[in-house]
Amino acid sequence: MCGIVGAVAARDVVPLLLEGLRKLEYRGYDSAGLAVINDSLQRVRSVGRVSALADMVQEANISGELGIAHTRWATHGVPNERNAHPHISQDGLAIVHNGIIENHEAIRERLIEAGYVFDSDTDTEVVAHLVHSHLRTVQSLFDAVQRAVSELEGAFAIAVLTEQMPDRLVAARQGAPLLLGLGNGENFCASDASALLQVTKRIVYLEEGDVVELRRDGYRIADRSGSEVTRQVHESQLSADAVELGPYQHYMQKEIFEQPGAVAATLEMVTGAQSVVPQLFGVDAPSVLTGIDAVTVLACGTSYHAGLTARYWIEAIAGLPCSVEIASEYRYRTTVPNPNSLIITISQSGETADTIAALQHAKSLGQERTLAICNVPESSLIRHAALRFLTRAGPEIGVASTKAFTTQLASLFLLALVLAKSRGQLSPVQEREHIHSLRHLPAALTHVLSLEPQVEQWAKRFSTKHHALFLGRGVHFPIALEGALKLKEISYIHAEAYPAGELKHGPLALVDEDMPVVAIAPNDMLLEKLKSNLQEVSARGGELYVFADADSQINASPGVHVIPMIEHAGHLSPILHTLPLQLLAYHAALAKGTDVDKPRNLAKSVTVE
């Protein structure tokens, strides 16, 4: 959840650390801090955003050629300066940390008995003192970190430096992301490659249990057994422009409008082809997918909604039973394992702790047929699955997911086609028709984005409300769930979504003139039933906001506002109906004046349970 940057160079690294933190702020923004070695340890910490830290650093005139920095999403301890990172121990040792140390209380008691004094409420300070305690008995910081890491339980990434060795920093990862950036006469570490694009595109992804020592002239890595190892150097495909705002007001707005291109990139391998093949999901896909008799989807948040949508496609097109599980709940209940079930995990970052744990639990039950759908190559989720599909959405900085969701939907629809074809459920004519629809999808998305001015007018009305209901039927119900999530995430308007047929079973009691009701109205087999549900709302004085297909014949009237979309897009309709709901949330938040890209209490990459 937090963001880490570290650097060792022959120049002042403070500007590099601050710029790296700005790129990582999506991972947490409760507090920020940095520590550098310049003869002695210098530390600055602030509550709130990186901009506040930058002001304090400038005022203090801090500089140094070795440093670590951190932007925090609070877990242990309230977000104040006392709990902000870096944390320090004796003899000028400082540490930054992402993740959770599960056995911190037991270690804390032991360290207190040894004479260490704790100044914060965090689990991180335990690691600082633990490393220092080992540094008393070994020759190097590298050895001390190795010993400390071997005692820690949980998921974490750390970076450590000390006055005693002012020419190097040491970092380690276990269950939380951390990578290296290699420069000329300088080296770096960070939670995300986006933080390092300013200085290098040469990236080394650390494996689970790795400990690394960084110096100006090189680095060394040891695995969890202590053996020195070599990890592959990758050339990052990200560009600096990809993580810049450009002409947009917010990252969320930028990412909403990037969706036609992101979907086109995700589908590139099939839209130029005449057929779909299992190898789209990995070279081992033919053998892994053979004999599948069920599908289980494991995901959290927005990715869970993508899984719920996919369930309709997989069952309707491929004829396979599909269950969708909230990953954070899956491994804590008794399930009936099926070795012939395909286990699909979905995550934007590929570092979602609950989803990784759910995947590992499924595999422990003998379910080895696994597929990860993810936006980040070399992520933990990708490495733990037998098959993988990269969504190619590009970096998503806004905390509220947009293009990650639509590219997940596109890839899941593609999977439904592959599963259907492998089971003899997809005729050549149907296959060609679906590929044609996918080829047209980016253009259709671009058309939907042209509705923004009309959605913005609705949003101004929404911004004065405290609650909202979202309605959908069939495959569009998960899209209603996603629309409600977006609205409450960034505008703080309480929103709930229901299958429209459930209104009369309770939620209708909430409907009055102060409760806006958003309805998704595609021209599908459930349209007439949906119209009846909308009549129920109107009869109770509710005000309706309807996104209707152009051919659904729903007209505006007093208390019924309608934005006509394009004609019904068949199975791909849910993807198209997602975009106006994102725009509604974005413009409602804008009208309310909330922080669109960094909503309170949230972070982008949820790497803790």
Side-chain angles (χ1 to χ4, degrees):
M1 301 284 276
C2 306
I4 291 173
V5 190
V8 54
R11 54 172 166 159
D12 182 15
V13 299
V14 170
L16 310 180
L17 296 176
L18 289 172
E19 184 59 27
L21 287 188
R22 291 186 184 99
K23 294 298 187 292
L24 293 179
E25 204 167 15
Y26 71 91
R27 301 179 67 88
Y29 33 85
D30 291 329
S31 62
L34 62 79
V36 296
I37 302 292
N38 190 348
D39 294 329
S40 62
L41 180 71
Q42 298 174 293
R43 177 179 64 160
V44 180
R45 299 182 295 175
S46 70
V47 177
R49 306 298 167 81
V50 172
S51 58
L53 175 68
D55 291 341
M56 294 175 65
V57 168
Q58 184 176 14
E59 184 178 342
N61 195 27
I62 299 294
S63 65
E65 297 179 351
L66 172 69
I68 53 177
H70 188 270
T71 180
R72 181 178 186 236
W73 186 83
T75 53
H76 293 75
V78 299
N80 56 23
E81 184 176 340
R82 177 170 167 264
N83 290 324
H85 298 215
H87 289 283
I88 61 175
S89 187
Q90 301 169 23
D91 301 319
L93 184 146
I95 186 171
V96 290
H97 163 227
N98 172 27
I100 288 180
I101 307 301
E102 294 176 352
N103 59 337
H104 70 98
E105 291 179 348
I107 297 175
R108 181 189 298 263
E109 290 178 7
R110 194 178 85 214
L111 291 168
I112 289 173
E113 291 177 1
Y116 286 93
V117 177
F118 285 80
D119 297 321
S120 75
D121 304 315
T122 70
D123 52 344
T124 303
E125 193 178 5
V126 166
V127 188
H129 293 319
L130 182 62
V131 171
H132 182 269
S133 71
H134 286 298
L135 193 55
R136 290 172 165 173
T137 61
V138 297
Q139 296 298 312
S140 70
L141 182 61
F142 185 76
D143 294 334
V145 171
Q146 279 188 303
R147 292 195 178 189
V149 165
S150 69
E151 297 185 49
L152 301 178
E153 298 174 5
F156 54 85
I158 60 173
V160 192
L161 52 76
T162 176
E163 290 177 1
Q164 296 175 282
M165 299 175 190
D167 62 342
R168 67 198 61 196
L169 68 84
V170 177
R173 69 151 297 195
Q174 177 64 53
L178 194 69
L179 50 83
L180 310 182
L182 308 182
N184 295 319
E186 55 188 20
N187 288 300
F188 312 89
C189 65
S191 300
D192 189 312
S194 63
L196 302 180
L197 292 178
Q198 55 174 321
V199 289
T200 184
K201 298 187 76 171
R202 297 177 64 226
I203 302 297
V204 175
Y205 295 96
L206 297 180
E207 300 286 343
E208 294 288 283
D210 281 355
V211 178
V212 59
E213 177 185 80
L214 292 172
R215 307 173 309 279
R216 292 178 190 171
D217 60 353
Y219 66 96
R220 58 171 169 152
I221 303 172
D223 63 17
R224 66 171 75 247
S225 71
S227 302
E228 290 205 15
V229 292
T230 300
R231 302 296 186 208
Q232 184 178 355
V233 179
H234 299 263
E235 188 78 14
S236 175
Q237 299 304 304
L238 290 177
S239 67
D241 291 342
V243 293
E244 297 296 339
L245 262 178
Y248 297 97
Q249 191 172 356
H250 298 94
Y251 279 106
M252 183 177 181
Q253 183 188 32
K254 175 178 184 274
E255 288 153 12
I256 288 173
F257 278 85
E258 285 177 339
Q259 287 175 109
V263 168
T266 299
L267 296 173
E268 182 180 17
M269 290 182 292
V270 69
T271 53
Q274 299 300 314
S275 62
V276 295
V277 294
Q279 287 84 352
L280 290 167
F281 294 89
V283 294
D284 296 326
S287 60
V288 172
L289 299 180
T290 299
I292 292 293
D293 61 17
V295 174
T296 300
V297 180
L298 307 174
C300 301
T302 285
S303 297
Y304 172 69
H305 296 157
L308 289 175
T309 307
R311 179 173 62 186
Y312 289 90
W313 291 333
I314 291 169
E315 294 192 342
I317 300 173
L320 281 168
C322 179
S323 62
V324 187
E325 300 267 3
I326 296 174
S328 59
E329 292 290 325
Y330 172 72
R331 68 188 178 115
Y332 295 114
R333 70 178 184 85
T334 302
T335 58
V336 180
N338 175 4
N340 293 322
S341 179
L342 176 64
I343 305 297
I344 303 173
T345 51
I346 312 171
S347 167
Q348 188 281 139
S349 67
E351 303 294 347
T352 308
D354 288 314
T355 306
I356 294 170
L359 173 60
Q360 291 169 337
H361 177 66
K363 291 168 68 175
S364 74
L365 297 176
Q367 300 177 119
E368 296 290 342
R369 299 169 183 255
T370 57
L371 163 66
I373 294 177
C374 178
N375 192 39
V376 180
E378 301 296 332
S379 62
S380 298
L381 198 66
I382 288 288
R383 291 198 298 271
H384 286 122
L387 305 179
R388 60 208 56 85
F389 189 93
L390 290 174
T391 54
R392 298 180 67 188
E396 189 179 65
I397 306 300
V399 166
S401 182
T402 51
K403 62 178 179 174
F405 179 65
T406 47
T407 53
Q408 286 169 357
L409 291 178
S411 59
L412 287 162
F413 183 77
L414 189 58
L415 176 65
L417 298 184
V418 168
L419 291 173
K421 186 175 180 180
S422 67
R423 290 168 51 80
Q425 300 288 316
L426 189 69
S427 71
V429 172
Q430 291 172 322
E431 184 177 14
R432 286 193 297 271
E433 288 175 348
H434 286 308
I435 291 174
H436 175 76
S437 297
L438 289 172
R439 195 174 291 129
H440 180 68
L441 182 58
L445 291 169
T446 300
H447 177 83
V448 173
L449 288 171
S450 71
L451 302 174
E452 184 183 28
Q454 298 173 62
V455 178
E456 185 176 2
Q457 291 303 311
W458 281 11
K460 291 175 181 176
R461 301 168 68 99
F462 266 74
S463 65
T464 63
K465 304 297 183 181
H466 298 288
H467 309 276
L469 287 178
F470 286 68
L471 303 178
R473 295 206 69 142
V475 70
H476 292 84
F477 166 54
I479 305 305
L481 285 169
E482 177 62 12
L485 176 61
K486 286 291 153 287
L487 188 67
K488 55 192 168 191
E489 272 184 310
I490 62 171
S491 74
Y492 315 145
I493 296 170
H494 172 243
E496 298 294 339
Y498 290 92
E502 284 294 293
L503 266 181
K504 53 188 172 292
H505 297 291
L508 199 57
L510 296 171
V511 172
D512 60 19
E513 64 276 6
D514 293 322
M515 174 72 80
V517 178
V518 180
I520 303 169
N523 185 22
D524 60 11
M525 61 183 295
L526 293 171
L527 178 61
E528 294 307 316
K529 294 186 179 298
L530 176 68
K531 287 180 178 179
S532 297
N533 303 138
L534 301 186
Q535 288 293 332
E536 295 168 358
V537 173
S538 294
R540 272 74 179 181
E543 191 164 14
L544 283 162
Y545 295 81
V546 185
F547 292 104
D549 285 353
D551 48 356
S552 63
Q553 298 181 341
I554 297 178
N555 300 313
S557 61
V560 180
H561 311 281
V562 179
I563 292 181
M565 297 182 52
I566 64 174
E567 292 187 355
H568 185 49
H571 285 296
L572 299 179
S573 175
I575 303 177
L576 297 177
H577 277 274
T578 295
L579 271 61
L581 300 180
Q582 295 172 347
L583 289 168
L584 180 63
Y586 171 73
H587 284 290
L590 209 59
K592 288 194 67 177
T594 61
D595 192 332
V596 173
D597 287 333
K598 302 180 183 69
R600 66 190 182 201
N601 304 332
L602 299 179
K604 181 70 176 175
S605 182
V606 186
T607 58
V608 298
E609 282 198 64

